[in-house]
Structures are given as structure tokens and as C-alpha cells.
Amino acid sequence: MANDAVLYTIGYQGRTATGLVGVLLEARVNLVVDIRSNPRSRKPGFSENALNSLLQANGIRYIHMQGLGVPKPLRSQLRADSNYPAFFAAYRRSLASHEQELLEVLRLARVNSCSLLCYECEPTKCHRSILARAIQQADGNGMQIRHL
């Protein structure tokens, strides 16, 4: 049997909160998994409570999974050296201690139209791409990944 599950990812950099919701609704996403270590933002509408309220008002569930965020030392190192290959390798290693959360996102993505959420707009510069691939591999590589 073919696996037709899709895992979406989205970054909110350069978007408004209502613009983000519009993109999610257009893709028919019904669950957002916030994978920021710290779900606060200086951008209006993107802190955890405000974002959760806006998403719920539009029929989209919200879950924050702090353990799937980037640990602060890794973020600091990336800011210092901009070494993305080293950053992504370190993040992959950090996922080993968060296998249960990763498997929970996989379970949720199999039964929902689910999107990972982070700040960075460019998926190739964001840990959500690494996480999405890890979830895809845990699924047996049948799950599709679509960056919104």
C-alpha cells in the first residue's frame, strides 16, 4: 500500500501571522507543531499563546515540542561561525535524545495534515528540514516533505 502522508514545514520569517494562517489553510494543514526551543517572538502574533489562539480560531490545532528545537549552544555556535554543515550534524546528534518526540510527530503526521513550524523562511537553513527528513526516515521514506 502506498504511503500518501505529507509532512509540511513552514517558517514565519517575513510573514504576518494572518498571512501564515492563509498559507496553512490553503495547504489544508490542520495541525501545527511548533519546533522552536523558545516559542516567543518579537514579531506580533508569533508567540505561543497568540499563535495558538489565532490558529485555533481558524480550525488549526497547535502543539509546542520544545525538545525538537535547537539547543541554545548550537544556535550560539551557528551565529558565531555560520557553519551550517556542523550545525546540522550537531542537531542530528541531538535528536537521538528526543526519539519519543520525533516518533510522536510521525504518529501525528500520519493522521493529520501536519506542519512543522519555525522562524527561518529558508528550509535549507533551518533545523526543520533535518527534523522532517528524520521523520521521513522513521516512516520508512514513504512520507513526502513539502516546504510551504
Side-chain angles (χ1 to χ4, degrees), residues 19-73:
L20 178 98
V21 169
V23 172
L24 294 168
L25 289 172
E26 187 175 320
R28 299 190 175 166
V29 168
N30 63 18
L31 173 65
V32 166
V33 178
D34 187 341
I35 57 167
R36 297 176 290 171
S37 289
N38 182 351
R40 293 188 247 315
S41 178
R42 292 182 207 149
K43 286 191 68 159
F46 290 105
S47 289
E48 184 174 20
N49 291 338
L51 183 59
N52 185 12
S53 294
L54 180 61
L55 291 170
Q56 282 189 14
N58 285 277
I60 302 171
R61 287 180 38 225
Y62 171 91
I63 297 172
H64 176 235
M65 291 199 149
Q66 181 178 16
L68 297 175
V70 177
K72 186 172 183 168

